[in-house]
Amino acid sequence: MTTAELIARTENHLFGFLRGLHDGGLRVPADKQSQFFAGIETLAPSTTGQLYWIGAATLVTSEPERHVYDEVFRRFFGLTAADALVVTDEPADESADEDEPTSMPGSGEAEDVVADAAGADGLAASNVSPEGVRRFAATTPRSHELIRELCRELPRAVPTTRSRRRRPGGRRQRVDLRAIYLESRRTHGEIMRLHWRHRPQRQRRVLLLVDVSGSMKQHSADYLRFAYAVVATCPRAEVFTFGTRLTRVTPSLRTSDVDGALAALAQVVLDADGGTLIGTSLATFLDDYANLARGALVLVLSDGLERGDCTAMVAATRRLSLLAAQLSWWSPLACDPAYRPLTRGMSAVLADLDALTGVDGLETALTAVRGKFATTQRSAHV
């Protein structure tokens, strides 16, 4: 059998496996099927156990679905869930010392596949989404105190701009002819005093784009608590999360309790702790919600570790820079004094940022807010 025939046979068997899942009651959406094949391409499984865990991480989201998946996988590949933990298709290393203790064959492989596919170690990014529900730990008393501090500081820190609409007021900017006319009707045409209208100052919109991918696992919870404080104190705030997809979460954050807000977020942010597609997510935001960035204070909370081609990330960041009044990038990596933005993505977007600030939790977020978001002035472009 030629290599081309073997590849075609393998593809047919995998598509047959997906049809078997559908016939068994597990209807896998097209995006999850794409993630399944992306996981195979990225991880290049060499054992059936590895293939099992790639499918479990990308195709299954609940326990009932897991039962269907296990049955169909056993039918197509002859391997059960229990076997996937202890069975490997690779021959044992005969040169190993018989007296040397070894781990169960295949167990390390399975764990590596799950960790890489879901970004569970919080240190590396992938393009595979776990499609699960993340449980956030309860907010500590110290975090509650920091959130209250942030709520006090944010109204003073958010930059202002003149309202487009004029309001009645004593500032002599424009004569209010309508008010003068209505008053003159009560005085038989006599103008007794002049009325004025002016454009008052109001807060700029605050737009948060929060990275919830696996490489941000240690920081995303505090980033979302900061987002809760922003929504609670800034009437024109908008918050989006992104990992492998873009999710608008502003309505979920409009609650009176931070832990309640995080619980609501867990139900809508289904790509948490998974892969990362920064450029694709930012491009989606600009396609659907670009008006929210116009004249706004935009904060991107991410480590900037984009996978693969960074062209989309660079183009989207440049467009955000042109739309926003201020564009700041908060990265936990920048908390290290020795950090330098040398990755392809961050080095390319640095020129479009007002500031690259080290923020890894609520403590450093409060410091950045007290420093007026650590922004630097650039020439006006909005």
Side-chain angles (χ1 to χ4, degrees):
M1 182 181 298
T2 65
T3 301
E5 291 173 340
L6 181 60
I7 292 174
R9 184 174 178 181
T10 301
E11 289 178 347
N12 289 336
H13 195 69
L14 289 172
F15 281 115
F17 168 62
L18 293 175
R19 287 193 296 272
L21 292 176
H22 184 277
D23 295 340
L26 175 52
R27 291 168 173 77
V28 181
D31 61 332
K32 290 188 181 181
Q33 295 183 30
S34 299
Q35 292 163 11
F36 174 58
F37 286 111
I40 294 175
E41 182 179 359
T42 302
L43 300 173
S46 59
T47 68
T48 310
Q50 291 178 344
L51 179 63
Y52 173 90
W53 289 110
I54 292 174
T58 57
L59 303 176
V60 179
T61 60
S62 65
E63 193 62 28
E65 290 182 356
R66 181 66 171 269
H67 294 315
V68 176
Y69 173 82
D70 286 348
E71 174 60 28
V72 176
F73 194 92
R74 183 194 60 77
R75 244 186 319 119
F76 274 80
F77 300 101
L79 193 71
T80 65
D83 296 335
L85 289 173
V86 297
V87 174
T88 178
D89 293 338
E90 296 178 349
D93 185 1
E94 297 179 356
S95 63
D97 188 351
E98 294 180 359
D99 295 332
E100 182 180 355
T102 59
S103 60
M104 290 188 300
S107 60
E109 296 166 355
E111 292 168 359
D112 290 344
V113 172
V114 175
D116 191 26
D121 58 3
L123 299 177
S126 76
N127 59 357
V128 181
S129 172
E131 296 290 341
V133 177
R134 177 177 177 180
R135 304 300 178 189
F136 293 97
T139 304
T140 64
R142 174 57 179 162
S143 294
H144 277 294
E145 181 182 343
L146 290 169
I147 290 172
R148 288 192 292 269
E149 285 288 327
L150 283 165
C151 290
R152 284 192 290 267
E153 295 287 343
L154 278 166
R156 295 192 292 268
V158 176
T160 60
T161 184
R162 281 190 175 183
S163 171
R164 292 181 179 272
R165 294 185 179 181
R166 297 183 181 273
R167 307 291 183 189
R171 296 181 183 178
R172 300 188 175 188
Q173 293 183 357
R174 176 174 292 186
V175 175
D176 190 345
L177 295 177
R178 176 180 173 83
I180 294 172
Y181 166 73
L182 292 175
E183 185 178 70
S184 69
R185 292 179 60 180
R186 295 193 293 270
T187 58
H188 305 286
E190 293 290 336
I191 298 177
M192 306 302 294
R193 64 189 181 99
L194 295 179
H195 293 268
W196 303 86
R197 297 180 71 85
H198 72 290
R199 292 169 58 189
Q201 294 287 325
R202 67 169 180 173
Q203 280 187 352
R204 287 190 180 274
R205 188 191 307 277
V206 182
L207 171 63
L208 269 60
L209 300 168
V210 184
D211 188 343
V212 293
S213 63
S215 62
M216 294 291 294
K217 183 176 182 179
Q218 299 175 12
H219 312 286
S220 56
D222 273 351
Y223 279 0
L224 292 171
R225 291 185 178 99
F226 170 74
Y228 167 82
V230 171
V231 170
T233 55
C234 302
R236 303 175 64 217
E238 287 287 347
V239 182
F240 293 79
T241 64
F242 64 89
T244 55
R245 70 187 67 179
L246 184 78
T247 308
R248 180 174 179 264
V249 297
T250 312
S252 300
L253 292 169
R254 295 194 187 281
T255 66
S256 58
D257 174 61
V258 62
D259 287 324
L262 292 179
L265 285 176
Q267 303 302 316
V268 297
V269 182
L270 300 180
D271 57 338
D273 303 340
T276 179
L277 296 172
I278 300 176
T280 302
S281 300
L282 295 183
T284 301
F285 169 81
L286 290 168
D287 288 342
D288 298 338
Y289 303 99
N291 62 305
L292 297 180
R294 193 177 304 278
L297 168 63
V298 180
L299 300 177
V300 181
L301 285 64
S302 171
D303 53 16
L305 300 180
E306 177 69 305
R307 289 178 59 91
D309 187 6
C310 298
T311 303
M313 174 180 168
V314 174
T317 304
R318 184 158 300 154
R319 189 177 168 197
L320 266 179
S321 173
L322 294 172
L323 287 171
Q326 295 177 0
L327 174 60
S328 291
W329 197 292
W330 287 7
S331 170
L333 303 178
C335 291
D336 184 353
Y339 170 75
R340 297 293 181 271
L342 300 179
T343 60
R344 286 179 300 169
M346 289 307 301
S347 61
V349 305
L350 192 61
D352 296 313
L353 303 179
D354 284 302
L356 174 59
T357 307
V359 175
D360 59 0
L362 293 176
E363 293 270 7
T364 46
L366 181 58
T367 301
V369 170
R370 285 173 172 166
K372 307 299 184 184
F373 294 89
T375 54
T376 58
Q377 188 65 35
R378 64 176 174 179
S379 58
H381 54 260
V382 291

